[in-house]
Amino acid sequence: MGKLNYTNRKVEGLKLGQVIHKDLIKRIPPEAGSKAALRDPYIELHASGKRLGDEGLLAVVEGLRKALSCRDGPVTSRLEELGLSGNELTASSMRHLGGVIKLAADDLKDVDLSCNQITVATDEQATAWESFLRSFRKSSVLRRLDLSGNALGSRAFEILARVYTREAPLDMSEVTPAEDEGGLQNGMEASLSPTSPHAPVANPERYAVTRGIRSIPYIVLSDVAMTDTCALHLSVVLARHHLLRDLLARVPSAKTGLAAQHLDVYDAHSGCQGIVYLPNDTLGGAGMRVLELAEVRREELLEGDYPETAKSPSKRAHSLRASSDSSTTSAVFRGPRQRQSAEQPTSTGELERVRSKIQGNTLKERGARHVELWATALRLLVSARAILLAPKPPPVLVVMPQRDISSRPRQSVAKAQPSVAARAAPHRPRARGNLPHGVWHGILALAVDPSGILRGDQQAAVLAWAGDRATLAREAEVVGKPAGVQIWRVLEGVGCLSYDERGV
């Protein structure tokens, strides 16, 4: 009863969605299938290549919501696997799917959305996509999220970077090295019932300490029409994502079957460490390089806390490129220090140089509007400068009587001198409307950036730049240079080139 596989059914489209909906409703007491569902409440739903479309998916989602949210008596439905590859799904339906992911946060282990039509270009699509990504915030046992074969677009990668960096860092100290070596998996296997492959894992609270997109061992982004700008955003995620071995120790091991086979393929042939971004034939040289350097940076960042796991099952530079063209590439463990050679420098400086190159090219070719972070920062700067950078006050004029030779009084004008107390006291002029700067900061942030595209410290940096006359001189230094260079300098000055903190 738990395996709902519709791949070989002749019916497809909306009609199949309605069939799946009915089958899920049968699991809810007192329906006919509820007794069998009670014995095996775990659901593996697979409907690959059935052309469900957004309308058919909505029917499936409604059935899953009803089944998963039913709490009258014993639980009869727990969603473990969701295979919806090749169903012509678009970004618009991702918002609905997010509700199911939230309901299955403690059970869902595999999500396959590969080979659909998920593209993020419009504001509506962006909102749905961000809602979908945020729905993983409570997921604790998810092994794989497969988004391959979708032309996601650079905006999708930017939102991924934003959502990822806003999640709290994982607490990896909850599992001891002994458990990393297989203690969790061994405990899970020992707890399985001989009659059910879905028995609860041992010590489930250990898995609950790592949640969210950061905790997913395999995020598959191959064949997604990745550009250099996409890679720029992904490098922020890649540099922070914990190593595969550490993350796998914090989710139940995969059962023998299709899901396990997929993981074996990633390990053996992708040349990537958890975040699978190869192959991507549209990726340029700079994009490839920034991802290679982000992989190295990840190992350097994690080496201090987890020196025994700061290894990468891949050959960097030429080896990563070769892995996208060859199915025989094997995983090779090499530490970051071993790769520090003339062929493969690993400094943070080089990563930032390549990032800067991609940022400059993007500004030159597509403009600041192509990246929502940049566009928002510039809009906030322009608005804030009009409010906060008040013009210099004119000198205070005082009329003083004078006498000329004919003794007739004359008028002279002199500048008033401030008192000693006024000169000693620090003074910050109020902005327009005689409101304090702090009040204007809140107003501007809500008016220009209501969705919180910028982090709080980035908003503060933009507002400080806007209200400081010294920044006008800094901007004047690059006047006459290409517009992209001028914009880059401003964005660099306010720390709004990336969603990542500086130096990471």
Side-chain angles (χ1 to χ4, degrees), residues 154-173:
S154 64
R155 193 168 183 181
F157 279 90
E158 181 182 357
I159 295 170
L160 172 62
R162 181 165 68 240
V163 172
Y164 189 99
T165 54
R166 301 291 166 83
E167 286 187 355
L170 300 181
D171 182 3
M172 305 297 280
S173 63

Side-chain angles (χ1 to χ4, degrees), residues 84-362:
L84 297 172
S85 173
N87 274 290
E88 302 177 2
L89 307 180
T90 71
S92 300
S93 62
M94 293 300 101
R95 182 197 297 274
H96 304 298
L97 195 57
V100 171
I101 291 168
K102 289 179 182 179
L103 288 172
D106 293 324
D107 303 300
L108 191 58
K109 298 178 176 66
D110 193 90
V111 176
D112 185 357
L113 297 173
S114 61
C115 301
N116 280 292
Q117 298 172 6
I118 303 171
T119 299
V120 181
T122 67
D123 290 344
E124 181 182 358
Q125 292 168 341
T127 300
W129 174 251
E130 183 164 355
S131 175
F132 168 71
L133 293 179
R134 291 186 184 281
S135 68
F136 290 96
R137 184 165 292 180
K138 296 296 183 180
S139 295
S140 61
V141 294
L142 189 62
R143 284 188 302 267
R144 181 180 70 130
L145 172 60
D146 191 347
L147 297 164
S148 63
N150 291 283
L152 295 175
S154 64
R155 193 168 183 181
F157 279 90
E158 181 182 357
I159 295 170
L160 172 62
R162 181 165 68 240
V163 172
Y164 189 99
T165 54
R166 301 291 166 83
E167 286 187 355
L170 300 181
D171 182 3
M172 305 297 280
S173 63
E174 294 294 332
V175 179
T176 66
E179 290 166 328
D180 279 350
E181 293 297 329
L184 286 178
Q185 286 85 347
N186 293 339
M188 183 273 295
E189 290 164 1
S191 70
L192 290 180
S193 164
T195 59
S196 172
H198 303 286
V201 297
N203 301 321
E205 65 278 2
R206 289 194 179 277
Y207 299 119
V209 300
T210 51
R211 294 180 181 270
I213 294 179
R214 289 175 180 254
S215 71
I216 304 174
Y218 292 94
I219 301 176
V220 188
L221 297 166
S222 55
D223 293 319
V224 292
M226 189 182 296
T227 64
D228 287 357
T229 307
C230 298
L232 174 68
H233 298 307
L234 184 59
S235 72
V236 174
V237 175
L238 190 57
R240 289 172 166 271
H241 204 64
H242 278 273
L243 298 172
L244 182 60
R245 181 173 176 274
D246 294 322
L247 293 175
L248 284 175
R250 288 156 177 81
V251 295
S253 59
K255 304 187 302 292
T256 301
L258 186 60
Q261 292 173 9
H262 283 306
L263 305 188
D264 290 340
V265 169
Y266 302 144
D267 293 340
H269 304 313
S270 73
C272 300
Q273 160 91 301
I275 296 182
V276 182
Y277 53 85
L278 294 176
N280 264 295
D281 296 337
T282 54
L283 188 59
M288 188 69 209
R289 186 61 175 158
V290 81
L291 294 177
E292 293 167 357
L293 291 168
E295 290 264 25
V296 175
R297 182 59 179 151
R298 168 167 65 162
E299 296 170 12
E300 293 173 345
L301 287 170
L302 297 175
E303 188 177 40
D305 294 330
Y306 304 100
E308 73 284 358
T309 59
K311 310 278 187 180
S312 175
S314 58
K315 298 178 181 179
R316 294 293 169 252
H318 63 280
S319 299
L320 274 172
R321 291 189 182 93
S323 67
S324 65
D325 301 323
S326 172
S327 61
T328 59
T329 303
S330 60
V332 177
F333 283 81
R334 300 178 66 194
R337 290 191 176 89
Q338 291 174 288
R339 288 196 297 274
Q340 290 183 2
S341 62
E343 178 185 82
Q344 178 65 35
T346 61
S347 67
T348 303
E350 184 175 358
L351 173 60
E352 292 308 311
R353 281 193 295 274
V354 179
R355 282 177 171 170
S356 297
K357 178 180 179 180
I358 298 175
Q359 290 159 356
N361 289 341
T362 303

Side-chain angles (χ1 to χ4, degrees), residues 387-400:
I387 299 295
L388 302 179
L389 194 63
K392 288 184 178 180
V396 179
L397 303 181
V398 179
V399 178
M400 301 177 63

